[in-house]
Amino acid sequence: MPTPVSHLEPTRPSGAMRALAPLSPDPRKAWSWLQRSWLGRYGVALLFFCFALLLQLELWPLMSNSPFLFFYGAVMVAGWWGGWGPSLLVTTLSLVAVDHYFLPPRLTLQMRSADVLALGIFALLAIFITKLNVSLSRALEERASLLEREHQARAASEAARTRLHTIFMQAPAQIFFLRGAAHDFDFSNARNSSMLKSRDTLGKPFQSGVVKVGEEDARDVLDRVYTTGEPFVSGAVPLRFLQADGMEKETFHNLVYQPTRDAQGQVDGIAGFGFDVTDLVHARQRAEALATELRQAEFRTRVLAEVSTVLASSLDYEGTMRNLARLVVPALADWCFVDLAQPDGTFHRLEVAHARPEDAPVAAEVLHFNLMPEGNPRHPPTAALLRGEAILLEEMTPAHIKRSAHNENHARVMLATGLRSFIAVPLVVRGHTMGVFSFFTSFSNRRYTQADLAFGLELAYRAALSMENARLYREAQEAIRLRDEFLSIASHELKTPLTPLSLKLQALSRELERHPDNIPYALVKGYVDTGARQVKKLAELVGDLLDVSRIAAGRLALELEDVDLGALIHEVASRYEAHAARSGSSLQVEGGEAGLVGRWDRLRLEQVVTNLIDNAVKYGAGKPIVLSLEQGPSRARLKVRDQGIGIAPEHLPRLFGRFERAVSERHYGGLGLGLYITRTLVEAMGGRVRVESEQGRGSIFTVDLPRERVVPVDVSASQPQ
């Protein structure tokens, strides 16, 4: 046991006390000096001898029969104070003094035989008394030393006990001592009492249900230690205890419950020690979570690299998306769906990938459930589509699945997949939703987190970008095809008027050689008329090309003025009567006699009517063509109806596109620009054009125009995508 500091280092006096020390000697030190020094021991012995001699001389007349009485006292004091030396000195001096002063003959050193015997007896008794006094003195010294050491030991023990109590009370651990089978508290430090929410625990038993060691009650653990005598040692065990509000709080402790034993070796109590390692456990958990996250990040990086390889391997985006779904399963999910948008606005479920072969029948059913924007908005893929953002559902219960299903059959199939945790991400590029990519867990019981959602977003972004690249490539290939087709058609169309024009010029040159002086008027006029028609045809072709370039560049401007639409239609129809007659068709105009005036661009409106009549003549099969005009308070409607070959239904959606044709260029000429220019001009003037057709029974083109148009429309913005 360590010795208290107060016993090891006596208190030092202050400076003032040290200055006064020589003037105020310590009596205990002086007394000790007298008792320990040679001069003090013999001086005291001589002093008492002299004192005994004086008393004996003074009282001799009264006690002449006791010459040794006071000398016995001097010997006794000398022996007790100084030991053998001073006592023998006093004995010798006492023999001489008695013989000289008190035995006859007095004042001489002569002795009688009887006096010799008395002196001998005195000497023997003096030696015996000295022996007793020396022994007694030593015994007293030893007793005082023992008492002093006992006092010091008690003080040291008390100091050590106080120090140990302080250490236990202030220790950064839970420390308690229990006594008996009832586990009464014999000691509980502040930290342990604080954990038990009780300051007064001494003498009270350890209560059941207050603390749980893992899943076991602490009282049961203590009973087992007390009964078996085997210590309980556990590291980082979860310790749950009730708080004042009735809630449980969990911490982690290193616990040691050590049985204590009595003198016979029987267990009489338990010493408990608990070290709070909650922060260490949490730090270890965070480190493990971080390590897991790093491994997952490495895994995601590897998967993304594989995904990038898959996405870049082909421009067939449907095949690529199928491969992507198969890559996600089982690496990241147990199931994966791919829903892609169709041109008509619906969605088609392209792929259903699953990890277990036994899930194939369920996957076949899932494949028939297409994404339905009009369905249950709580269905995760539907919600992702409608919101335009990713959806994370960390845990989906059967009740949640039923609430999110489109119908009972859909709920049945969703439950059959064993859905647990779900992520749905829309495939969006440039604000356009191309589909929804969904994946979820089932039998693996994995729960997705925000990190998985971020990974899903990256995956969907790359997939959507790959789809967009594939679409752009297809569009580029289609544009190249249209360009090549257009160049072929344009060269053919430009060559068509040039060939007869060249032939007529060659024929005219021969006629000039044959008639150098006078060429017949009728002959020249026929050549000139033919050439004029071909030049006009060339001018129309070049004009169409210029209009397309202006529209593409956004430089097509309108000059609005008051235009009589009826008069304009009659004028154009009269110009085309001869052309229609050569094709075997006739032009009929219905309505439009009364003035129908609106704010339009006259030249562009004339171009629209001309294109529609020219189209009807080209495909009218030599049958009558009817132009009808209707007017309303704010709008005008023009219908051009022919009874020709008509248009197949599959060609109707793209009929007004650029370079689009519904028939073969081998049988019908043209650049495929007339209806595109017509639609663009009508929309620029705030109107709308549409077609109704049945193959083999003709077509009806309807143009609706507002009669008032104030703000021109940006023509380039109205181009089809």
Side-chain angles (χ1 to χ4, degrees), residues 260 339 473 535 595 600 629 699:
T260 59
D339 297 281
Y473 177 78
V535 170
W600 300 302
L629 186 62
S699 304

Side-chain angles (χ1 to χ4, degrees), residues 557-598:
L558 300 179
E559 296 181 4
L560 302 180
E561 59 179 303
D562 292 334
V563 179
D564 188 334
L565 183 57
L568 178 65
I569 291 174
H570 281 282
E571 179 183 343
V572 176
S574 64
R575 288 203 307 265
Y576 261 83
E577 283 182 356
H579 176 61
R582 285 194 296 272
S583 300
S585 299
S586 61
L587 294 177
Q588 301 176 16
V589 180
E590 298 177 353
E593 291 81 5
L596 199 165
V597 180

Side-chain angles (χ1 to χ4, degrees), residues 586-590 624-628 639-643:
S586 61
L587 294 177
Q588 301 176 16
V589 180
E590 298 177 353
I625 299 171
V626 179
L627 285 75
S628 61
K639 291 184 178 181
V640 179
R641 181 173 66 249
D642 66 72
Q643 304 175 38

Side-chain angles (χ1 to χ4, degrees), residues 171-185:
Q174 287 83 37
I175 302 176
F176 62 88
F177 297 100
L178 303 177
R179 183 180 64 254
H183 307 310
D184 296 331
F185 277 100

Side-chain angles (χ1 to χ4, degrees), residues 116-179:
V116 172
L117 180 62
L119 291 174
I121 293 173
F122 170 78
L124 290 175
L125 289 176
I127 292 173
F128 179 73
I129 292 171
T130 301
K131 175 66 176 179
L132 290 179
N133 279 289
V134 170
S135 299
L136 178 61
S137 176
R138 290 180 178 176
L140 291 176
E141 287 182 357
E142 290 179 0
R143 179 177 179 277
S145 177
L146 289 176
L147 289 175
E148 179 64 21
R149 281 185 288 179
E150 180 184 3
H151 174 72
Q152 292 179 355
R154 287 179 179 274
S157 175
E158 184 64 25
R161 182 179 181 280
T162 303
R163 177 179 293 180
L164 186 61
H165 183 273
T166 302
I167 291 174
F168 279 3
M169 290 301 293
Q170 298 178 355
Q174 287 83 37
I175 302 176
F176 62 88
F177 297 100
L178 303 177
R179 183 180 64 254

Side-chain angles (χ1 to χ4, degrees), residues 182-415:
H183 307 310
D184 296 331
F185 277 100
D186 202 23
F187 174 81
S188 176
N189 72 346
R191 189 175 290 265
N192 186 71
S193 299
S194 175
M195 186 186 72
L196 297 176
K197 301 299 179 184
S198 175
R199 295 183 178 179
D200 186 15
T201 57
L202 297 183
K204 296 181 180 179
F206 194 101
Q207 298 179 5
S208 299
V210 176
V211 180
K212 288 186 177 180
V213 179
E215 298 300 326
E216 193 175 3
D217 192 87
R219 178 66 184 247
D220 297 334
V221 178
L222 296 173
D223 288 341
R224 186 167 63 249
V225 172
Y226 188 87
T227 303
T228 63
E230 296 180 357
F232 174 83
V233 180
S234 179
V237 64
L239 201 66
R240 294 186 295 274
F241 54 90
L242 290 175
Q243 300 186 97
D245 55 3
M247 301 295 292
E248 277 193 355
K249 180 180 179 180
E250 183 180 70
T251 56
F252 293 88
H253 289 71
N254 292 337
L255 295 180
V256 177
Y257 293 162
Q258 181 71 38
T260 59
R261 301 179 184 274
D262 56 16
Q264 289 74 34
Q266 300 296 320
V267 176
D268 63 351
I270 295 175
F273 305 90
F275 303 90
D276 193 339
V277 292
T278 304
D279 293 339
L280 181 62
V281 170
H282 289 170
R284 184 166 60 244
Q285 291 174 346
R286 288 193 294 270
E288 293 174 355
L290 181 59
T292 302
E293 182 63 27
L294 289 176
R295 289 194 297 269
Q296 292 179 352
E298 181 181 359
F299 173 72
R300 296 188 190 105
T301 302
R302 186 170 64 253
V303 172
L304 282 178
E306 296 177 5
V307 166
S308 299
T309 303
V310 169
L311 294 176
S313 62
S314 173
L315 290 171
D316 178 13
Y317 67 85
E318 291 188 355
T320 301
M321 293 303 294
R322 286 191 176 96
N323 292 334
L324 177 60
R326 299 188 187 105
L327 179 62
V328 170
V329 175
L332 297 171
D334 302 325
W335 291 78
C336 182
F337 303 160
V338 179
D339 297 281
L340 297 183
Q342 301 300 303
D344 59 357
T346 61
F347 286 83
H348 169 62
R349 180 150 288 173
L350 177 68
E351 180 66 21
V352 175
H354 54 92
R356 298 186 301 185
E358 57 267 27
D359 290 330
V362 179
E365 288 190 79
V366 173
L367 190 61
H368 292 91
F369 285 98
N370 292 324
L371 187 62
M372 296 188 297
E374 71 281 359
N376 190 343
R378 288 182 290 188
H379 184 232
T382 305
L385 176 67
L386 297 178
R387 299 179 191 175
E389 60 184 21
I391 299 296
L392 167 64
L393 297 174
E394 296 183 4
E395 185 71 26
M396 289 191 71
T397 63
H400 190 185
I401 293 174
K402 292 178 181 179
R403 288 195 301 269
S404 63
H406 295 309
N407 48 54
E408 292 184 1
N409 190 34
H410 187 213
R412 177 186 63 80
V413 175
M414 290 176 66
L415 289 171

Side-chain angles (χ1 to χ4, degrees), residues 8 34 40 60 116 133 153 157 163 180 238 297 321 340 355 362 387 434 448 637-638 647 689 717:
L8 293 177
L34 287 176
W60 175 247
V116 172
N133 279 289
S157 175
R163 177 179 293 180
M321 293 303 294
L340 297 183
V362 179
R387 299 179 191 175
M434 306 173 68
Y448 290 132
R637 173 174 293 174
L638 169 64
I647 306 170
V689 61

Side-chain angles (χ1 to χ4, degrees), residues 98-115:
V98 169
D99 181 55
H100 183 73
Y101 289 105
F102 303 108
L103 293 179
R106 297 181 62 191
L107 301 178
T108 66
L109 295 178
Q110 297 178 3
M111 293 182 292
R112 296 173 301 175
S113 58
D115 295 336

